[in-house]
């Protein structure tokens, strides 16, 4: 699937965001190796701390459906600027697509493709636990 198409799906997912506190809506579209796409949005909570980011919503949906291998993820935000994933999401994405790509989109500057390894240098993985 083309990056442009995945960004459009992330924008659709963003419309479903539950973000009454920050008003910052985020959408993610995660492409699995089998071609399936899992969408996610941020789901905020009055406690703030229980908020779930869009990227982790998408990953959790996929894993809970038995899909574990992914190619890439597109992430967009309602600000129209690049939506750099937070540190926790980088770590979670690194668990499941360490060799994958992250596609970001800006209304002004267009698409930017980054590898997870660029976003999380020297990232920690299960195989490091010895
Ligand atoms: N957010 C995401 O969904 N993904 C990120 O990687 C960064 C932050 C959400 C969480 C919260 O609902 C809002 O953006 C503001 O932090």
């Amino acid at each position: 699937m083309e990056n442009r198409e995945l960004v459009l799906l992330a924008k659709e997912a963003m419309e479903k965001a539950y973000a009454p506190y920050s008003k910052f809506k985020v959408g993610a579209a995660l492409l699995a190796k089998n071609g399936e796409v899992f969408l996610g949005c941020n789901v905020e909570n009055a406690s703030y701390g229980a908020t779930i980011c869009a990227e982790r919503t998408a990953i959790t949906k996929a894993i809970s459906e038995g899909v574990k291998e992914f190619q890439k993820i597109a992430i967009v935000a309602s600000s129209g600027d690049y939506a750099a994933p937070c540190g926790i999401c980088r770590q979670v994405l690194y668990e499941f697509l360490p060799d994958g790509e992250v596609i970001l989109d800006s209304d002004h500057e267009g698409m930017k493709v980054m590898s997870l390894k660029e976003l999380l240098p020297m990232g920690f993985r299960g195989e490091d636990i010895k």
Side-chain angles (χ1 to χ4, degrees), residues 18-19 22 24-27 41-44 51-55 75 83-87 89:
Y18 177 74
S22 72
F24 184 72
K25 294 182 171 193
V26 185
C41 61
N42 51 334
V43 182
E44 297 189 343
T51 292
I52 308 167
C53 293
E55 301 89 318
I75 311 164
C86 78
C89 287

Side-chain angles (χ1 to χ4, degrees), residues 4-122:
R4 174 51 55 197
E5 222 180 317
L6 208 57
V7 165
L8 288 176
L9 290 171
K11 286 185 178 175
E12 275 180 34
M14 183 179 80
E15 297 305 321
K16 304 241 168 51
Y18 177 74
Y21 306 105
S22 72
K23 318 265 193 257
F24 184 72
K25 294 182 171 193
V26 185
L30 175 67
L31 179 65
K33 287 195 177 161
N34 70 6
E36 274 186 86
V37 176
F38 294 87
L39 302 182
C41 61
N42 51 334
V43 182
E44 297 189 343
N45 186 271
S47 71
Y48 286 48
T51 292
I52 308 167
C53 293
E55 301 89 318
R56 279 178 290 138
T57 301
I59 288 272
T60 304
K61 282 173 68 180
I63 300 297
S64 59
E65 293 297 326
V67 178
K68 292 197 193 77
E69 292 185 335
F70 310 102
Q71 300 177 37
K72 52 191 177 181
I73 185 168
I75 311 164
V76 299
S78 51
S79 60
D81 296 324
Y82 291 125
C86 78
I88 294 174
C89 287
R90 290 179 199 209
Q91 181 68 36
V92 170
L93 291 170
Y94 194 65
E95 180 86 13
F96 297 105
L97 54 161
D99 299 313
E101 284 181 337
V102 176
I103 302 136
L104 304 174
D105 190 56
S106 149
D107 289 349
H108 329 284
E109 293 166 272
M111 281 191 301
K112 185 206 287 274
V113 182
M114 298 189 73
S115 69
L116 231 345
K117 289 201 160 98
E118 274 177 278
L119 287 166
L120 193 68
M122 264 190 92

